[in-house]
């Protein structure tokens, strides 16, 4: 059986043995006050610090099915779209309860924390975390209400050059801050692009993250062709804040909004 962030209601039997199958669901579990119930997690589940001590039962290649079954979890936190569908269906067939997380908007983050909080002995902690997120998000939205849009390029990887398009995560962070994605209309969610395509679209700012090996300084050689380079608007963002949809995403919003404000001030 499965539950999700939108439909779960409080159960009389609270889970005591929880497994998380992605880094972002691990972080969400701690945010919701379920950290002391986690018995295993996926690779790269490194926040908060306590998560580093958990046994590893999943990675980008798949999950350790036999080990998960042996651990007898009473709740499994899965990433819809990130964990293999066939393996998730198998866990459900075996009778395990799965909670699927798949935040598509910034508002989905506090909603998911709240939904997970229903599994905690006291949902009050999750409620506080969710409320804090919503308060900070509302303030950021209000402060950007009349800000002009800024054309940006976000580089996910360097070789090949991969970016993010349309409504795929984390486009939501940039758009809230008034960012205009130069590859928003790409048919692929995470398109591979060329240097020439970036130059043609003339971004005012270029963002990258260090964990993917993306050094934004590689664009320096195109200083004459790119306004972002000519004006010194090359910024490195904190990857975990940006790429994992968790309460820390609000820090990514603040970071991106701050950089876009710098671009506006210089240009205006």
């Amino acid at each position: 059986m499965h539950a999700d962030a939108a439909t779960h209601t409080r159960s009389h039997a609270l889970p005591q043995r929880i497994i998380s199958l992605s880094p972002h669901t691990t972080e969400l579990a701690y945010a919701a006050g379920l950290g002391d119930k986690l018995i295993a997690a996926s690779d790269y589940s490194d926040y908060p610090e306590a998560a580093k001590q958990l046994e590893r039962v999943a990675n980008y290649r798949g999950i350790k099915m036999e080990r998960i079954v042996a651990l007898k979890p009473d709740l499994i936190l899965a990433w819809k779209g990130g964990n293999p569908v066939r393996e998730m269906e198998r866990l459900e067939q075996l009778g395990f309860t799965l909670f699927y997380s798949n935040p598509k908007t910034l508002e989905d983050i506090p909603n998911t924390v709240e939904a997970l909080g229903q599994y905690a002995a006291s949902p009050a902690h999750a409620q506080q975390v969710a409320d804090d997120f919503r308060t900070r998000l509302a303030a950021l939205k209000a402060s950007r209400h009349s800000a002009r849009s800024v054309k940006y390029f976000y580089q996910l990887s360097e070789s090949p050059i991969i970016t993010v398009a349309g409504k795929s995560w984390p486009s939501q962070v940039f758009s809230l801050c008034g960012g205009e994605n130069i590859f928003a209309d790409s048919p692929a969610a995470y398109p591979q692009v060329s240097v020439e395509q970036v130059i043609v679209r003339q971004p005012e700012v270029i963002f990258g993250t260090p964990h993917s090996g993306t050094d934004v300084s590689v664009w320096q050689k195109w200083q004459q062709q790119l306004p972002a380079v000519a004006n010194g608007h090359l910024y490195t963002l904190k990857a975990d804040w940006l790429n994992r949809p968790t309460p820390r995403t609000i820090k990514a919003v603040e970071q991106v909004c701050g950089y876009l404000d710098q671009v506006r001030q210089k240009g205006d």
Side-chain angles (χ1 to χ4, degrees), residues 82-112:
N83 293 126
V85 174
R86 188 175 297 176
E87 292 180 323
M88 297 306 100
E89 289 176 346
R90 179 70 182 132
L91 287 170
E92 287 188 22
Q93 289 165 2
L94 291 170
F96 292 105
T97 299
L98 273 71
F99 176 99
Y100 286 103
S101 168
N102 185 27
K104 292 183 180 297
T105 69
L106 291 166
E107 290 76 12
D108 286 343
I109 294 172
N111 293 347
T112 304

Side-chain angles (χ1 to χ4, degrees), residues 2 23 32 41 83 85 95 112 140 174 185-186 193 202 204 240 264:
H2 77 269
N83 293 126
V85 174
T112 304
L140 286 161
F174 298 100
D185 58 355
S186 172
V193 300
Q202 293 285 284
E204 296 175 75
D240 291 351
R264 291 185 186 99

Side-chain angles (χ1 to χ4, degrees), residues 20-43:
S20 168
L21 300 181
S22 80
H24 95 265
T25 53
T26 301
E27 192 170 329
L28 287 169
Y30 278 96
L34 296 171
D36 61 335
K37 308 298 184 190
L38 281 169
I39 56 170
S42 66
D43 283 3

